[in-house]
Amino acid sequence: MRVRKKLLILHSTYLFGGAERSLDEFIKNSYAVFDIYLATSLDSLFFDKVKRYPITSSSIHIPYLKKNLFCFLKYFLPTLYTSFKILRILRQEKIPVVYCNTYRSLPFCLFVRLFTGVKVVCHCRDNVYSTAIHWLITSFSDEIIVISKHIHSQFKTGKPIYLIYNGVSAIQNNRIVEDYSIREEYKIPVSSPIIATIGQILPWKNQLDFVLVADKILSGYPDCFF
């Protein structure tokens, strides 16, 4: 009988946004393969969402660490305490891999890095704008996952870096919206597919990729509108 691998997921945010939707999709498609242990705050919206999955959830107070010195000083001792609790879970359950959903979960791996050989994987979803964040990610992680070429280019390290674009389920989100205002405004035929992107006009959002893909799609499907 094949032994199922164990994975501990650390999640530190309280809302349910893009990073949480991506993680929810990952758990939904992975619990049949892995024994998943989730450590997150009980009062996070994500904790309520994943209770429907057959995974082991541990309610640990994981503060949402903001990018300033005051926050660091305020949560220094709670971070140490949370790190100890995570270390205890890893040792009790003999878990070989920790997955941090965004770099904000990495500080809670402090004792993991100091006292174990457990592999730490960081899913970096944010622009790495400072040397401190770059140091945190490269020092605490064994492997790094990034969501765009822009973020990939910001890392100067010999550690493995994997580029995995964000995405949504085409089947789950393929809902027909009966709204023809856009078609009427831009005189787009009802039979023509409309493909759009929504996001800030920033380098790490990679709108350039959307333009390049649009050019390729139009060469085979000229009736599309972007």
Side-chain angles (χ1 to χ4, degrees), residues 65-81:
L65 301 180
K66 296 182 180 180
K67 310 165 188 176
N68 57 62
L69 180 60
F70 173 76
C71 180
F72 172 79
L73 296 175
K74 178 181 178 181
Y75 291 116
F76 179 71
L77 291 179
T79 297
L80 294 181
Y81 179 65

mmCIF file with all atom_site columns, all heavy atoms in Angstrom, residues 65-81:
data_model
loop_
_atom_site.group_PDB
_atom_site.id
_atom_site.type_symbol
_atom_site.label_atom_id
_atom_site.label_alt_id
_atom_site.label_comp_id
_atom_site.label_asym_id
_atom_site.label_entity_id
_atom_site.label_seq_id
_atom_site.pdbx_PDB_ins_code
_atom_site.Cartn_x
_atom_site.Cartn_y
_atom_site.Cartn_z
_atom_site.occupancy
_atom_site.B_iso_or_equiv
_atom_site.pdbx_formal_charge
_atom_site.auth_seq_id
_atom_site.auth_comp_id
_atom_site.auth_asym_id
_atom_site.auth_atom_id
_atom_site.pdbx_PDB_model_num
ATOM 1   N N   . LEU A 1 65 ? 0.998  39.844 9.329  1.00 0.00 ? 65 LEU A N   1
ATOM 2   C CA  . LEU A 1 65 ? 2.139  40.736 9.516  1.00 0.00 ? 65 LEU A CA  1
ATOM 3   C C   . LEU A 1 65 ? 2.188  41.786 8.422  1.00 0.00 ? 65 LEU A C   1
ATOM 4   O O   . LEU A 1 65 ? 2.348  41.473 7.245  1.00 0.00 ? 65 LEU A O   1
ATOM 5   C CB  . LEU A 1 65 ? 3.440  39.921 9.522  1.00 0.00 ? 65 LEU A CB  1
ATOM 6   C CG  . LEU A 1 65 ? 3.525  38.841 10.605 1.00 0.00 ? 65 LEU A CG  1
ATOM 7   C CD1 . LEU A 1 65 ? 4.847  38.106 10.505 1.00 0.00 ? 65 LEU A CD1 1
ATOM 8   C CD2 . LEU A 1 65 ? 3.354  39.440 11.990 1.00 0.00 ? 65 LEU A CD2 1
ATOM 9   N N   . LYS A 1 66 ? 2.056  43.029 8.812  1.00 0.00 ? 66 LYS A N   1
ATOM 10  C CA  . LYS A 1 66 ? 2.138  44.134 7.860  1.00 0.00 ? 66 LYS A CA  1
ATOM 11  C C   . LYS A 1 66 ? 3.595  44.552 7.684  1.00 0.00 ? 66 LYS A C   1
ATOM 12  O O   . LYS A 1 66 ? 4.462  44.162 8.452  1.00 0.00 ? 66 LYS A O   1
ATOM 13  C CB  . LYS A 1 66 ? 1.290  45.309 8.337  1.00 0.00 ? 66 LYS A CB  1
ATOM 14  C CG  . LYS A 1 66 ? -0.192 44.975 8.405  1.00 0.00 ? 66 LYS A CG  1
ATOM 15  C CD  . LYS A 1 66 ? -1.013 46.170 8.845  1.00 0.00 ? 66 LYS A CD  1
ATOM 16  C CE  . LYS A 1 66 ? -2.486 45.820 8.914  1.00 0.00 ? 66 LYS A CE  1
ATOM 17  N NZ  . LYS A 1 66 ? -3.311 46.979 9.354  1.00 0.00 ? 66 LYS A NZ  1
ATOM 18  N N   . LYS A 1 67 ? 3.817  45.384 6.668  1.00 0.00 ? 67 LYS A N   1
ATOM 19  C CA  . LYS A 1 67 ? 5.183  45.693 6.271  1.00 0.00 ? 67 LYS A CA  1
ATOM 20  C C   . LYS A 1 67 ? 5.690  46.961 6.958  1.00 0.00 ? 67 LYS A C   1
ATOM 21  O O   . LYS A 1 67 ? 5.997  47.958 6.314  1.00 0.00 ? 67 LYS A O   1
ATOM 22  C CB  . LYS A 1 67 ? 5.248  45.860 4.753  1.00 0.00 ? 67 LYS A CB  1
ATOM 23  C CG  . LYS A 1 67 ? 4.592  44.713 3.982  1.00 0.00 ? 67 LYS A CG  1
ATOM 24  C CD  . LYS A 1 67 ? 4.358  45.083 2.541  1.00 0.00 ? 67 LYS A CD  1
ATOM 25  C CE  . LYS A 1 67 ? 3.531  44.045 1.815  1.00 0.00 ? 67 LYS A CE  1
ATOM 26  N NZ  . LYS A 1 67 ? 3.219  44.421 0.433  1.00 0.00 ? 67 LYS A NZ  1
ATOM 27  N N   . ASN A 1 68 ? 5.764  46.933 8.309  1.00 0.00 ? 68 ASN A N   1
ATOM 28  C CA  . ASN A 1 68 ? 6.328  48.083 9.004  1.00 0.00 ? 68 ASN A CA  1
ATOM 29  C C   . ASN A 1 68 ? 6.944  47.639 10.328 1.00 0.00 ? 68 ASN A C   1
ATOM 30  O O   . ASN A 1 68 ? 6.647  46.559 10.848 1.00 0.00 ? 68 ASN A O   1
ATOM 31  C CB  . ASN A 1 68 ? 5.271  49.166 9.243  1.00 0.00 ? 68 ASN A CB  1
ATOM 32  C CG  . ASN A 1 68 ? 4.064  48.661 10.018 1.00 0.00 ? 68 ASN A CG  1
ATOM 33  O OD1 . ASN A 1 68 ? 4.208  48.237 11.155 1.00 0.00 ? 68 ASN A OD1 1
ATOM 34  N ND2 . ASN A 1 68 ? 2.888  48.691 9.394  1.00 0.00 ? 68 ASN A ND2 1
ATOM 35  N N   . LEU A 1 69 ? 7.795  48.492 10.869 1.00 0.00 ? 69 LEU A N   1
ATOM 36  C CA  . LEU A 1 69 ? 8.550  48.169 12.072 1.00 0.00 ? 69 LEU A CA  1
ATOM 37  C C   . LEU A 1 69 ? 7.630  48.024 13.284 1.00 0.00 ? 69 LEU A C   1
ATOM 38  O O   . LEU A 1 69 ? 7.842  47.139 14.124 1.00 0.00 ? 69 LEU A O   1
ATOM 39  C CB  . LEU A 1 69 ? 9.596  49.262 12.337 1.00 0.00 ? 69 LEU A CB  1
ATOM 40  C CG  . LEU A 1 69 ? 10.487 49.073 13.583 1.00 0.00 ? 69 LEU A CG  1
ATOM 41  C CD1 . LEU A 1 69 ? 11.283 47.777 13.466 1.00 0.00 ? 69 LEU A CD1 1
ATOM 42  C CD2 . LEU A 1 69 ? 11.409 50.274 13.744 1.00 0.00 ? 69 LEU A CD2 1
ATOM 43  N N   . PHE A 1 70 ? 6.593  48.874 13.402 1.00 0.00 ? 70 PHE A N   1
ATOM 44  C CA  . PHE A 1 70 ? 5.681  48.793 14.534 1.00 0.00 ? 70 PHE A CA  1
ATOM 45  C C   . PHE A 1 70 ? 5.016  47.422 14.607 1.00 0.00 ? 70 PHE A C   1
ATOM 46  O O   . PHE A 1 70 ? 4.898  46.825 15.679 1.00 0.00 ? 70 PHE A O   1
ATOM 47  C CB  . PHE A 1 70 ? 4.608  49.884 14.429 1.00 0.00 ? 70 PHE A CB  1
ATOM 48  C CG  . PHE A 1 70 ? 3.536  49.766 15.480 1.00 0.00 ? 70 PHE A CG  1
ATOM 49  C CD1 . PHE A 1 70 ? 3.783  50.163 16.791 1.00 0.00 ? 70 PHE A CD1 1
ATOM 50  C CD2 . PHE A 1 70 ? 2.293  49.253 15.144 1.00 0.00 ? 70 PHE A CD2 1
ATOM 51  C CE1 . PHE A 1 70 ? 2.797  50.053 17.756 1.00 0.00 ? 70 PHE A CE1 1
ATOM 52  C CE2 . PHE A 1 70 ? 1.301  49.130 16.110 1.00 0.00 ? 70 PHE A CE2 1
ATOM 53  C CZ  . PHE A 1 70 ? 1.548  49.545 17.419 1.00 0.00 ? 70 PHE A CZ  1
ATOM 54  N N   . CYS A 1 71 ? 4.584  46.920 13.454 1.00 0.00 ? 71 CYS A N   1
ATOM 55  C CA  . CYS A 1 71 ? 3.947  45.605 13.412 1.00 0.00 ? 71 CYS A CA  1
ATOM 56  C C   . CYS A 1 71 ? 4.927  44.519 13.846 1.00 0.00 ? 71 CYS A C   1
ATOM 57  O O   . CYS A 1 71 ? 4.566  43.596 14.575 1.00 0.00 ? 71 CYS A O   1
ATOM 58  C CB  . CYS A 1 71 ? 3.425  45.325 12.002 1.00 0.00 ? 71 CYS A CB  1
ATOM 59  S SG  . CYS A 1 71 ? 2.623  43.724 11.816 1.00 0.00 ? 71 CYS A SG  1
ATOM 60  N N   . PHE A 1 72 ? 6.184  44.634 13.405 1.00 0.00 ? 72 PHE A N   1
ATOM 61  C CA  . PHE A 1 72 ? 7.203  43.650 13.774 1.00 0.00 ? 72 PHE A CA  1
ATOM 62  C C   . PHE A 1 72 ? 7.393  43.606 15.290 1.00 0.00 ? 72 PHE A C   1
ATOM 63  O O   . PHE A 1 72 ? 7.435  42.536 15.899 1.00 0.00 ? 72 PHE A O   1
ATOM 64  C CB  . PHE A 1 72 ? 8.524  44.000 13.087 1.00 0.00 ? 72 PHE A CB  1
ATOM 65  C CG  . PHE A 1 72 ? 9.684  43.148 13.548 1.00 0.00 ? 72 PHE A CG  1
ATOM 66  C CD1 . PHE A 1 72 ? 9.843  41.858 13.062 1.00 0.00 ? 72 PHE A CD1 1
ATOM 67  C CD2 . PHE A 1 72 ? 10.596 43.644 14.473 1.00 0.00 ? 72 PHE A CD2 1
ATOM 68  C CE1 . PHE A 1 72 ? 10.907 41.070 13.504 1.00 0.00 ? 72 PHE A CE1 1
ATOM 69  C CE2 . PHE A 1 72 ? 11.654 42.867 14.908 1.00 0.00 ? 72 PHE A CE2 1
ATOM 70  C CZ  . PHE A 1 72 ? 11.804 41.582 14.424 1.00 0.00 ? 72 PHE A CZ  1
ATOM 71  N N   . LEU A 1 73 ? 7.492  44.779 15.920 1.00 0.00 ? 73 LEU A N   1
ATOM 72  C CA  . LEU A 1 73 ? 7.693  44.833 17.366 1.00 0.00 ? 73 LEU A CA  1
ATOM 73  C C   . LEU A 1 73 ? 6.466  44.331 18.125 1.00 0.00 ? 73 LEU A C   1
ATOM 74  O O   . LEU A 1 73 ? 6.583  43.633 19.134 1.00 0.00 ? 73 LEU A O   1
ATOM 75  C CB  . LEU A 1 73 ? 8.026  46.276 17.783 1.00 0.00 ? 73 LEU A CB  1
ATOM 76  C CG  . LEU A 1 73 ? 9.330  46.849 17.223 1.00 0.00 ? 73 LEU A CG  1
ATOM 77  C CD1 . LEU A 1 73 ? 9.477  48.312 17.607 1.00 0.00 ? 73 LEU A CD1 1
ATOM 78  C CD2 . LEU A 1 73 ? 10.534 46.050 17.703 1.00 0.00 ? 73 LEU A CD2 1
ATOM 79  N N   . LYS A 1 74 ? 5.282  44.675 17.615 1.00 0.00 ? 74 LYS A N   1
ATOM 80  C CA  . LYS A 1 74 ? 4.043  44.286 18.273 1.00 0.00 ? 74 LYS A CA  1
ATOM 81  C C   . LYS A 1 74 ? 3.852  42.775 18.286 1.00 0.00 ? 74 LYS A C   1
ATOM 82  O O   . LYS A 1 74 ? 3.379  42.196 19.277 1.00 0.00 ? 74 LYS A O   1
ATOM 83  C CB  . LYS A 1 74 ? 2.859  44.960 17.577 1.00 0.00 ? 74 LYS A CB  1
ATOM 84  C CG  . LYS A 1 74 ? 1.501  44.592 18.154 1.00 0.00 ? 74 LYS A CG  1
ATOM 85  C CD  . LYS A 1 74 ? 0.378  45.292 17.395 1.00 0.00 ? 74 LYS A CD  1
ATOM 86  C CE  . LYS A 1 74 ? -0.987 44.891 17.948 1.00 0.00 ? 74 LYS A CE  1
ATOM 87  N NZ  . LYS A 1 74 ? -2.090 45.554 17.202 1.00 0.00 ? 74 LYS A NZ  1
ATOM 88  N N   . TYR A 1 75 ? 4.225  42.123 17.184 1.00 0.00 ? 75 TYR A N   1
ATOM 89  C CA  . TYR A 1 75 ? 3.949  40.698 17.038 1.00 0.00 ? 75 TYR A CA  1
ATOM 90  C C   . TYR A 1 75 ? 5.183  39.816 17.212 1.00 0.00 ? 75 TYR A C   1
ATOM 91  O O   . TYR A 1 75 ? 5.154  38.645 16.869 1.00 0.00 ? 75 TYR A O   1
ATOM 92  C CB  . TYR A 1 75 ? 3.319  40.423 15.671 1.00 0.00 ? 75 TYR A CB  1
ATOM 93  C CG  . TYR A 1 75 ? 1.921  40.965 15.537 1.00 0.00 ? 75 TYR A CG  1
ATOM 94  C CD1 . TYR A 1 75 ? 1.630  41.958 14.615 1.00 0.00 ? 75 TYR A CD1 1
ATOM 95  C CD2 . TYR A 1 75 ? 0.889  40.483 16.337 1.00 0.00 ? 75 TYR A CD2 1
ATOM 96  C CE1 . TYR A 1 75 ? 0.339  42.464 14.490 1.00 0.00 ? 75 TYR A CE1 1
ATOM 97  C CE2 . TYR A 1 75 ? -0.399 40.975 16.218 1.00 0.00 ? 75 TYR A CE2 1
ATOM 98  C CZ  . TYR A 1 75 ? -0.667 41.968 15.295 1.00 0.00 ? 75 TYR A CZ  1
ATOM 99  O OH  . TYR A 1 75 ? -1.937 42.453 15.187 1.00 0.00 ? 75 TYR A OH  1
ATOM 100 N N   . PHE A 1 76 ? 6.268  40.388 17.732 1.00 0.00 ? 76 PHE A N   1
ATOM 101 C CA  . PHE A 1 76 ? 7.497  39.610 17.856 1.00 0.00 ? 76 PHE A CA  1
ATOM 102 C C   . PHE A 1 76 ? 7.307  38.386 18.757 1.00 0.00 ? 76 PHE A C   1
ATOM 103 O O   . PHE A 1 76 ? 7.595  37.255 18.377 1.00 0.00 ? 76 PHE A O   1
ATOM 104 C CB  . PHE A 1 76 ? 8.636  40.483 18.382 1.00 0.00 ? 76 PHE A CB  1
ATOM 105 C CG  . PHE A 1 76 ? 9.932  39.744 18.561 1.00 0.00 ? 76 PHE A CG  1
ATOM 106 C CD1 . PHE A 1 76 ? 10.667 39.334 17.464 1.00 0.00 ? 76 PHE A CD1 1
ATOM 107 C CD2 . PHE A 1 76 ? 10.391 39.436 19.842 1.00 0.00 ? 76 PHE A CD2 1
ATOM 108 C CE1 . PHE A 1 76 ? 11.857 38.629 17.629 1.00 0.00 ? 76 PHE A CE1 1
ATOM 109 C CE2 . PHE A 1 76 ? 11.578 38.738 20.009 1.00 0.00 ? 76 PHE A CE2 1
ATOM 110 C CZ  . PHE A 1 76 ? 12.315 38.339 18.899 1.00 0.00 ? 76 PHE A CZ  1
ATOM 111 N N   . LEU A 1 77 ? 6.791  38.607 19.972 1.00 0.00 ? 77 LEU A N   1
ATOM 112 C CA  . LEU A 1 77 ? 6.592  37.488 20.902 1.00 0.00 ? 77 LEU A CA  1
ATOM 113 C C   . LEU A 1 77 ? 5.497  36.529 20.425 1.00 0.00 ? 77 LEU A C   1
ATOM 114 O O   . LEU A 1 77 ? 5.689  35.301 20.490 1.00 0.00 ? 77 LEU A O   1
ATOM 115 C CB  . LEU A 1 77 ? 6.278  38.012 22.306 1.00 0.00 ? 77 LEU A CB  1
ATOM 116 C CG  . LEU A 1 77 ? 7.446  38.716 23.018 1.00 0.00 ? 77 LEU A CG  1
ATOM 117 C CD1 . LEU A 1 77 ? 7.013  39.225 24.391 1.00 0.00 ? 77 LEU A CD1 1
ATOM 118 C CD2 . LEU A 1 77 ? 8.644  37.777 23.153 1.00 0.00 ? 77 LEU A CD2 1
ATOM 119 N N   . PRO A 1 78 ? 4.358  37.033 19.908 1.00 0.00 ? 78 PRO A N   1
ATOM 120 C CA  . PRO A 1 78 ? 3.365  36.108 19.350 1.00 0.00 ? 78 PRO A CA  1
ATOM 121 C C   . PRO A 1 78 ? 3.903  35.272 18.195 1.00 0.00 ? 78 PRO A C   1
ATOM 122 O O   . PRO A 1 78 ? 3.524  34.109 18.035 1.00 0.00 ? 78 PRO A O   1
ATOM 123 C CB  . PRO A 1 78 ? 2.235  37.034 18.874 1.00 0.00 ? 78 PRO A CB  1
ATOM 124 C CG  . PRO A 1 78 ? 2.339  38.227 19.755 1.00 0.00 ? 78 PRO A CG  1
ATOM 125 C CD  . PRO A 1 78 ? 3.810  38.413 19.979 1.00 0.00 ? 78 PRO A CD  1
ATOM 126 N N   . THR A 1 79 ? 4.815  35.860 17.416 1.00 0.00 ? 79 THR A N   1
ATOM 127 C CA  . THR A 1 79 ? 5.417  35.114 16.311 1.00 0.00 ? 79 THR A CA  1
ATOM 128 C C   . THR A 1 79 ? 6.262  33.959 16.835 1.00 0.00 ? 79 THR A C   1
ATOM 129 O O   . THR A 1 79 ? 6.221  32.841 16.302 1.00 0.00 ? 79 THR A O   1
ATOM 130 C CB  . THR A 1 79 ? 6.276  36.046 15.430 1.00 0.00 ? 79 THR A CB  1
ATOM 131 O OG1 . THR A 1 79 ? 5.431  37.038 14.838 1.00 0.00 ? 79 THR A OG1 1
ATOM 132 C CG2 . THR A 1 79 ? 6.981  35.256 14.327 1.00 0.00 ? 79 THR A CG2 1
ATOM 133 N N   . LEU A 1 80 ? 7.030  34.214 17.890 1.00 0.00 ? 80 LEU A N   1
ATOM 134 C CA  . LEU A 1 80 ? 7.837  33.150 18.495 1.00 0.00 ? 80 LEU A CA  1
ATOM 135 C C   . LEU A 1 80 ? 6.953  32.045 19.051 1.00 0.00 ? 80 LEU A C   1
ATOM 136 O O   . LEU A 1 80 ? 7.241  30.850 18.886 1.00 0.00 ? 80 LEU A O   1
ATOM 137 C CB  . LEU A 1 80 ? 8.724  33.720 19.605 1.00 0.00 ? 80 LEU A CB  1
ATOM 138 C CG  . LEU A 1 80 ? 9.827  34.702 19.179 1.00 0.00 ? 80 LEU A CG  1
ATOM 139 C CD1 . LEU A 1 80 ? 10.616 35.147 20.398 1.00 0.00 ? 80 LEU A CD1 1
ATOM 140 C CD2 . LEU A 1 80 ? 10.748 34.052 18.151 1.00 0.00 ? 80 LEU A CD2 1
ATOM 141 N N   . TYR A 1 81 ? 5.858  32.433 19.708 1.00 0.00 ? 81 TYR A N   1
ATOM 142 C CA  . TYR A 1 81 ? 4.946  31.448 20.293 1.00 0.00 ? 81 TYR A CA  1
ATOM 143 C C   . TYR A 1 81 ? 4.292  30.600 19.200 1.00 0.00 ? 81 TYR A C   1
ATOM 144 O O   . TYR A 1 81 ? 4.207  29.368 19.318 1.00 0.00 ? 81 TYR A O   1
ATOM 145 C CB  . TYR A 1 81 ? 3.881  32.162 21.112 1.00 0.00 ? 81 TYR A CB  1
ATOM 146 C CG  . TYR A 1 81 ? 2.867  31.224 21.730 1.00 0.00 ? 81 TYR A CG  1
ATOM 147 C CD1 . TYR A 1 81 ? 3.235  30.300 22.702 1.00 0.00 ? 81 TYR A CD1 1
ATOM 148 C CD2 . TYR A 1 81 ? 1.530  31.277 21.336 1.00 0.00 ? 81 TYR A CD2 1
ATOM 149 C CE1 . TYR A 1 81 ? 2.306  29.440 23.266 1.00 0.00 ? 81 TYR A CE1 1
ATOM 150 C CE2 . TYR A 1 81 ? 0.594  30.418 21.897 1.00 0.00 ? 81 TYR A CE2 1
ATOM 151 C CZ  . TYR A 1 81 ? 0.985  29.502 22.855 1.00 0.00 ? 81 TYR A CZ  1
ATOM 152 O OH  . TYR A 1 81 ? 0.067  28.648 23.396 1.00 0.00 ? 81 TYR A OH  1
#
